[in-house]
Amino acid sequence: MKLIFELGAEGRGLSLMPACDVPDFTLSEEREAPLHLPHVSENELTRHYTALCKRVHGVNDGFYPLGSCTMKYNPKIDEDMAALPGFTQLHPLQDVETVQGALEAYHVLGTELSEIFGMDAVTFQPAAGAHGEFTGVMLIKAYHVDRGDTARTKIIVPDSAHGTNPATAAMCGFQVVNIPSGSDGCVDLDALRAAVGPDTAGLMLTNPNTVGIFDKNILEITKIVHEAGGLCYYDGANLNAVMGVVRPGDMGFDCIHSNLHKTFATPHGGGGPGAGAVGCKDFLRKYMPGPLVVEKDGRFDFEYPEKSIGRVKMFYGNFGVVIKALTYVLSLGRQGIPDAAKCAVLNANYMMARLKTKFDMAYDEICMHEFVMSLVRLHDETGCSALDVAKGMLDFGLHPPTMYFPLIVHEALMVEPCETESKELMDEVCDIYLKLYDMAYENPQALHDAPLHTPVRRLDEVAAARSMVLRYQFA
Ligand SMILES: *Cc1c(COP(=O)(O)O)cnc(C)c1O
């Protein structure tokens, strides 16, 4: 495919208007070289972007089972609501009296998410999941410092954690203490007991964890941390398995973030905008980033919490994302939210049951919203790795699952089908996965050579990440 600078011809353009008759004005300082602009007609431009559109894969194209990422279908009504001019034409510096409806939207979603999280207050300022983690762990820090307890310098993170967890703890100035998972993928209680002490600031945990298993010792885990004087942080980036069914607050967690761009209807994968809504229990509210939206006698206003950690983003976060989440939550309602979670779990278990007739599961028990296959045996017996199988999927028009994550599972493929896929589609996909398994034994070379039918074949992934060419190279 040609790049846009290789299209068109000198002098060609989009303008249908007559030439401008206002005299040119010469700037005192002129450019050293003329600006590089493409010279394309409207037709060429339209075809160029349409061609680019056809080279990406999104949820609107097909199955996108990226484990841990919750690439579920987002109902179009959520986009319609966020696009209403009454929302898009607002300015963040407007007087609060003129934006009561927008503040009400924050307030209503805050109330609904507090209920889903089992928390008492919510902020929408953080722009993404990792940003929400940062905010939440800073709340934990502020709590200890405020009590004069400055000896709490360590955050405990299990080895199954999402990579952002240890990064967040380090960013907040804590030392990271890694604890191993047991053979069931859950927290090793003895290792946790040995790790906690007077230097424990807190624990960061995802439950269900990144291998898709709900830790049945969760109440014991949060109790061990609390008894040592630490607080518990819930990474709820992906809340798809539990929303409306169990609440992190009831599991003993003190604060949480959830990615509105995973669980609550904002499409993602293209780099934003997103929102990492952070919820906390009442005793942490006074440290929240300001301003928070409050309701007083039917009017809405902003309030700066008493001992706020300060702003983490300008203004009030990504408002459009809040409107999409609000629409999603209200349209699904009290019945629809837990139903969606239950269907996500059912779909994952359906696919797992069909696939384990051939593939090995890393943890062969009932999973939550996702499951992890380990292709170690397949690799040993055929030479075909998880990467080869994933590349083979591309020729069938399928987006591969998450690969080589979590790190504690070797040759991992992590599948999260989401609640929005039909049985027919999951059956089609399972048929293809099982066919690829057979192919590994019958014709391993074909998988080493895949993909054959994509615009580019195998990329040098190291070079692509290390020596990036992000600008057009003009001759
Ligand atoms: C996606 C994810 C994050 C990070 O969210 P971003 O919005 O990408 O920063 C953190 N934790 C878990 C478990 C995740 O799945």
Side-chain angles (χ1 to χ4, degrees):
M1 182 178 166
K2 283 186 179 166
L3 297 181
I4 196 162
F5 291 107
E6 294 154 355
L7 296 172
E10 194 64 36
R12 200 172 289 171
L14 304 180
S15 181
L16 298 176
M17 299 293 160
C20 178
D21 57 2
V22 178
D24 278 354
F25 175 79
T26 313
L27 292 171
S28 51
E29 272 184 62
E30 280 200 53
R31 286 182 182 281
E32 285 167 14
L35 200 59
H36 281 301
L37 291 174
H39 298 274
V40 289
S41 65
E42 185 175 314
N43 185 3
E44 286 167 315
L45 187 71
T46 306
R47 286 183 185 157
H48 177 69
Y49 282 106
T50 306
L52 281 179
C53 280
K54 288 179 181 164
R55 295 208 167 180
V56 295
H57 183 96
V59 182
N60 292 341
D61 295 293
F63 195 53
Y64 204 163
L66 217 47
S68 188
C69 295
T70 314
M71 307 301 284
K72 62 186 184 182
Y73 176 79
N74 304 294
K76 295 294 170 263
I77 188 175
D78 305 326
E79 294 295 327
D80 291 345
M81 293 303 114
L84 288 175
F87 292 132
T88 58
Q89 304 287 310
L90 295 179
H91 193 282
L93 292 178
Q94 260 174 260
D95 189 283
V96 288
E97 289 310 316
T98 67
V99 290
Q100 285 291 305
L103 298 201
E104 185 171 3
Y106 278 110
H107 182 75
V108 174
L109 184 62
T111 309
E112 298 290 339
L113 289 189
S114 293
E115 174 77 19
I116 292 170
F117 295 166
M119 297 286 161
D120 301 310
V122 171
T123 173
F124 296 104
Q125 241 179 54
H131 198 191
E133 290 174 35
F134 172 79
T135 306
V137 173
M138 288 306 282
L139 297 180
I140 292 178
K141 187 171 189 168
Y143 165 80
H144 291 308
V145 170
D146 194 28
R147 288 161 49 253
D149 193 350
T150 51
R152 297 193 177 271
T153 54
K154 294 181 180 166
I155 293 273
I156 299 168
V157 180
D159 60 3
S160 64
H162 194 268
T164 49
N165 291 183
T168 293
M171 276 285 288
C172 295
F174 289 105
Q175 220 178 307
V176 180
V177 180
N178 228 293
I179 54 164
S181 306
S183 57
D184 56 355
C186 295
V187 171
D188 180 333
L189 289 182
D190 291 332
L192 178 63
R193 283 195 193 94
V196 296
D199 57 359
T200 302
L203 164 83
M204 295 182 83
L205 198 74
T206 302
N207 188 37
N209 57 23
T210 55
V211 297
I213 293 178
F214 190 94
D215 202 315
K216 47 194 176 303
N217 298 318
I218 194 63
L219 292 174
E220 184 63 21
I221 291 168
T222 52
K223 189 168 154 225
I224 291 170
V225 176
H226 283 149
E227 281 177 359
L231 297 186
C232 297
Y233 181 87
Y234 184 94
D235 178 342
N238 175 344
L239 218 57
N240 229 35
V242 295
M243 56 176 185
V245 180
V246 285
R247 312 192 310 165
D250 298 336
M251 297 179 208
F253 288 91
D254 304 293
C255 62
I256 169 180
H257 87 271
S258 183
N259 288 11
L260 302 191
H261 51 287
K262 280 183 185 162
T263 312
F264 298 101
T266 284
H268 63 292
V278 169
C280 68
K281 292 271 174 78
D282 208 35
F283 73 98
L284 290 175
R285 191 184 187 280
K286 57 177 174 286
Y287 308 111
M288 278 285 227
L292 289 174
V293 174
V294 289
E295 185 192 2
K296 279 183 203 137
D297 310 322
R299 307 293 299 161
F300 297 94
D301 205 347
F302 289 118
E303 179 191 273
Y304 224 83
E306 185 195 339
K307 295 182 173 177
S308 174
I309 58 165
R311 279 182 181 279
V312 295
K313 190 178 184 301
M314 60 188 172
F315 300 120
Y316 319 109
N318 289 324
F319 182 57
V321 177
V322 168
I323 298 301
K324 290 176 208 180
L326 177 65
T327 311
Y328 182 79
V329 168
L330 293 183
S331 58
L332 266 72
R334 230 161 238 283
Q335 186 66 43
I337 297 268
D339 278 355
K342 289 172 195 170
C343 287
V345 172
L346 181 63
N347 279 1
N349 279 286
Y350 179 72
M351 279 194 71
M352 181 168 135
R354 276 211 58 194
L355 294 179
K356 80 179 183 189
T357 55
K358 288 192 173 158
F359 288 96
D360 296 334
M361 296 297 149
Y363 304 95
D364 190 6
E365 52 185 286
I366 301 252
C367 68
M368 297 299 286
H369 57 304
E370 60 197 5
F371 60 92
V372 186
M373 311 196 279
S374 171
L375 276 60
V376 169
R377 180 180 50 80
L378 185 85
H379 188 212
D380 289 348
E381 291 176 5
T382 69
C384 290
S385 62
L387 180 77
D388 292 325
V389 174
K391 295 292 182 194
M393 293 175 187
L394 296 174
D395 280 333
F396 290 93
L398 290 183
H399 194 291
T402 298
M403 301 188 297
Y404 297 101
F405 179 83
L407 302 176
I408 53 173
V409 177
H410 297 291
E411 294 298 329
L413 286 180
M414 182 191 203
V415 184
E416 180 181 6
C418 296
E419 73 280 10
T420 44
E421 298 303 340
S422 66
K423 177 174 178 296
E424 294 78 21
L425 183 112
M426 289 190 295
D427 277 332
E428 261 172 54
V429 171
C430 287
D431 290 344
I432 294 170
Y433 282 21
L434 295 169
K435 186 166 169 172
L436 288 165
Y437 181 94
D438 292 339
M439 250 171 92
Y441 287 92
E442 288 154 14
N443 186 3
Q445 192 56 41
L447 282 184
H448 296 314
D449 292 341
L452 297 176
H453 307 298
T454 47
V456 287
R457 301 276 303 278
R458 289 214 187 188
L459 299 172
D460 180 340
E461 286 167 15
V462 176
R466 295 291 148 83
S467 32
M468 287 187 267
V469 182
L470 300 175
R471 290 178 52 189
Y472 188 73
Q473 307 289 302
F474 290 101

